[in-house]
Amino acid sequence: MTINYSERIPNNVDLANDRTLQRALEHWQPRFQDWWREMGPSDFAAADVYLRTATGVDAQGWATYGTVKMPDYRWGIFLAEPVPERTIGFGDNFGQPAWQQVPGELRSQFRRIIVTQGDTEPASVEQQHLLGHSCPSLYDLRNLFQVNVEEGRHLWAMVYLLHAYFGRDGREEAEELLTRHSGDVDKPRILGTFNEPISDWLSFFMFTYFTDRDGKFQLKSLAESGFDPLSRTCRFMLTEEAHHMFVGESGVMRIVQRGCEVMKELGTDDPQMIRAHGAIDLPTIQRYMNFWFTSSMDLFGSEVSSNAASSFANGVKGRPDEGQYQDHVCTEAIYELETPQGKESVSLRNAMNEVMRSSYIKDCEIGVKRWNMQIQRAGFDFRLALPSSRFRRSIGVWADVPSNPQGYSISPEEHEKRLPDWMPSETDRAFVRSVMQRVVEPGKMAGWIAPPDRGINNLAVDYEYVRLRE
Ligand SMILES: [Fe+2]
Ligand SMILES: [Fe+2]
């Protein structure tokens, strides 16, 4: 199904035939645009940006490239094609037809999940509000904007569900999604990680690698949902999300590569020397990784959770890639959990957050391996490593159990003493900020990052991805 672009809100949900819904969304649209102008990328409204826009949800249509000014981007409502006669793939309702409407008794559970997901999307745009000013290249600037407009579209995706399936409550929640703001003292975003400022590009790449990947796993589990419109919405969002992961993984890779080049050139791995040369040393990259990875760990919630159990039982939220498992009901199954008190056997349904966290960690390992291969090829012994999931936790059984990055319990005193070695210090942050000098000549890269292997959509790296009007 192609998307009708002559409508005010491009969509493939036949909005024209539901006038009430259409009017409600058209009422929300200018508020979204106001929000974008105020909270979106600052000062780039007049720039021509080479962006992809979905013009269909199939393989040919979903990535159409062209030059647009961001405020004119066509944010729309796109759901993946329905799977004929889809049934619920897990929990107590396993095998029953998927729901086309929200079952009344699950209404508040679904609403909470959709609002929480929806809240993260505009939050990340707000976190990156000022980042464009210090871009390392036009190629990277374009990628930032691509991620930003798509997070804006993901907000649309959740707002559509709220408007279409949750009546008045849903419309109120949709308004609230534009009034909470990242880092706001009075009305912050719902989840902690989304209130952390992203004021340098190393943080941006770490965020897109680690935090967007949390998003990927949340979307994967919602793509399994028994509520079919939610499942279809999330399935389409996942196609867009893949590029965000790529931006993160390749961004960190290019910083590592540049660091190694400088280490070779100078014949030393002394961080001070690397820094003096304008590149970012590997231990600093490790500390930033520690920060964003641990912050993302908490997003999965407590290891043992009756909420997670009921979401699974009720068919609200499945496991990412539910198809990989044999048992989709999990009433008898047991999960062996590591806790500070030792091994504990809990019902698998209660451990669903931990199941999800474990598959997320595995996925995170893939990029780290690739970054390390780069370091190894350059001839250095240093290796980056994900910290333990027990390290620096604020939620769950490991919360406030002082551990080192390897996951061993240590005394609170030692923890406090060593933490500055493990987390980015003010000096680290100041240094990283100091190298973030804006580079906007086509094909040129800032000194702290290597050029990408190739450009976007088969274009050259030195293509003018963003035409600035200054
Ligand atoms: Fe998103
Ligand atoms: Fe994303």
Side-chain angles (χ1 to χ4, degrees):
M1 191 192 288
T2 46
I3 293 163
N4 185 346
Y5 269 89
S6 61
E7 288 181 45
R8 256 173 75 184
I9 302 168
N11 70 88
N12 71 346
V13 294
D14 202 15
L15 205 53
N17 277 319
D18 188 340
R19 296 310 298 267
T20 317
L21 178 59
Q22 187 178 36
R23 263 199 301 275
L25 287 165
E26 284 179 358
H27 183 73
W28 187 81
Q29 189 176 35
R31 288 161 197 256
F32 169 82
Q33 284 158 338
D34 287 346
W35 167 83
W36 179 269
R37 265 191 297 275
E38 206 185 316
M39 309 298 286
S42 109
D43 287 340
F44 290 93
D48 291 306
V49 189
Y50 186 73
L51 292 174
R52 74 174 179 198
T53 307
T55 57
V57 292
D58 57 357
Q60 292 87 44
W62 82 271
T64 304
Y65 288 86
T67 298
V68 273
K69 295 190 192 345
M70 282 184 284
D72 302 332
Y73 190 79
R74 302 302 311 275
W75 286 280
I77 299 161
F78 316 125
L79 272 58
E81 291 296 335
V83 173
E85 295 174 48
R86 177 168 176 260
T87 56
I88 299 170
F90 62 94
D92 294 340
N93 300 305
F94 179 77
Q96 289 177 26
W99 309 303
Q100 297 308 320
Q101 292 292 331
V102 183
E105 69 279 13
L106 298 179
R107 208 178 147 84
S108 65
Q109 260 194 73
F110 270 116
R111 194 181 69 193
R112 190 176 45 82
I113 278 180
I114 292 168
V115 166
T116 308
Q117 179 63 40
D119 195 68
T120 66
E121 314 287 358
S124 66
V125 176
E126 294 168 353
Q127 286 169 288
Q128 295 151 20
H129 175 64
L130 295 173
L131 209 51
H133 293 288
S134 58
C135 66
S137 72
L138 288 181
Y139 164 88
D140 290 291
L141 186 60
R142 176 262 165 215
N143 283 349
L144 166 70
F145 293 158
Q146 182 71 60
V147 171
N148 287 163
V149 293
E150 282 172 353
E151 301 306 4
R153 207 204 65 72
H154 292 175
L155 170 60
W156 269 97
M158 293 299 123
V159 163
Y160 161 72
L161 293 173
L162 288 170
H163 272 255
Y165 298 97
F166 295 86
R168 192 202 167 97
D169 301 356
R171 289 193 294 278
E172 280 169 11
E173 294 284 12
E175 295 287 318
E176 289 291 297
L177 285 170
L178 296 176
T179 61
R180 283 186 294 271
H181 296 309
S182 178
D184 193 301
V185 192
D186 301 319
K187 287 195 93 178
R189 291 296 176 182
I190 297 170
L191 301 170
T193 312
F194 294 88
N195 289 300
E196 303 281 2
I198 303 178
S199 40
D200 64 74
W201 284 74
L202 178 55
S203 297
F204 171 65
F205 293 130
M206 291 294 173
F207 179 91
T208 39
Y209 188 77
F210 289 112
T211 314
D212 262 330
R213 190 174 309 274
D214 157 73
K216 168 181 159 182
F217 278 80
Q218 301 298 339
L219 293 176
K220 270 175 171 289
S221 74
L222 295 177
E224 303 288 340
S225 179
F227 177 37
D228 203 42
L230 174 61
S231 161
R232 291 174 55 201
T233 299
C234 292
R235 264 195 289 137
F236 185 65
M237 288 163 77
L238 280 165
T239 54
E240 295 168 316
E241 210 57 65
H243 177 68
H244 308 182
M245 316 278 100
F246 162 81
V247 168
E249 186 185 328
S250 59
V252 175
M253 178 69 103
R254 291 162 52 213
I255 301 174
V256 167
Q257 191 188 334
R258 183 64 194 135
C260 289
E261 279 168 16
V262 171
M263 280 156 70
K264 263 190 174 167
E265 224 175 280
L266 302 180
T268 173
D269 59 1
D270 176 7
Q272 289 319 319
M273 301 279 281
I274 310 307
R275 286 183 175 199
H277 219 74
I280 300 175
D281 53 291
L282 300 176
T284 298
I285 297 175
Q286 176 69 57
R287 287 192 287 274
Y288 271 70
M289 232 171 93
N290 290 351
F291 177 83
W292 286 103
F293 177 75
T294 51
S295 174
S296 303
M297 279 292 94
D298 277 340
L299 293 172
F300 293 91
S302 295
E303 284 78 0
V304 184
S305 161
S306 53
N307 244 335
S310 101
S311 290
F312 184 85
N314 292 336
V316 170
K317 190 174 164 183
R319 286 168 291 186
D321 305 304
E322 186 61 46
Q324 67 177 304
Y325 302 102
Q326 297 291 318
D327 175 9
H328 299 294
V329 184
C330 308
T331 36
E332 310 294 324
I334 294 295
Y335 189 91
E336 291 285 336
L337 192 68
E338 305 261 4
T339 76
Q341 291 76 40
K343 268 204 186 339
E344 228 176 83
S345 298
V346 297
S347 141
L348 177 56
R349 282 187 172 191
N350 281 298
M352 286 306 176
N353 287 343
E354 190 56 14
V355 170
M356 203 158 145
R357 183 164 23 240
S358 306
S359 14
Y360 166 81
I361 294 172
K362 253 198 215 146
D363 206 45
C364 287
E365 297 278 6
I366 297 170
V368 179
K369 238 186 226 150
R370 290 189 188 135
W371 301 333
N372 280 333
M373 260 151 58
Q374 176 83 34
I375 302 172
Q376 189 179 7
R377 270 200 303 272
F380 296 100
D381 294 333
F382 190 96
R383 294 292 177 268
L384 296 163
L386 293 179
S388 159
S389 62
R390 301 172 188 179
F391 176 56
R392 211 178 75 97
R393 290 290 299 280
S394 332
I395 291 176
V397 296
W398 295 100
D400 308 317
V401 178
S403 314
N404 67 12
Q406 290 72 41
Y408 295 108
S409 294
I410 53 176
S411 71
E413 296 74 34
E414 197 188 347
H415 186 260
E416 202 183 328
K417 206 176 98 207
R418 297 293 312 277
L419 204 59
D421 301 335
W422 299 327
M423 287 291 124
S425 65
E426 253 330 296
T427 320
D428 290 338
R429 292 187 186 279
F431 163 72
V432 169
R433 271 197 304 271
S434 76
V435 294
M436 300 287 140
Q437 303 292 339
R438 168 190 181 110
V439 175
V440 291
E441 206 180 306
K444 276 262 156 63
M445 298 289 141
W448 53 270
I449 192 164
D453 292 338
R454 58 188 70 83
I456 293 296
N457 194 29
N458 295 323
L459 292 175
V461 171
D462 63 3
Y463 180 79
E464 195 175 3
Y465 289 101
V466 182
R467 269 197 304 278
L468 301 164
R469 296 286 145 85
E470 289 169 295

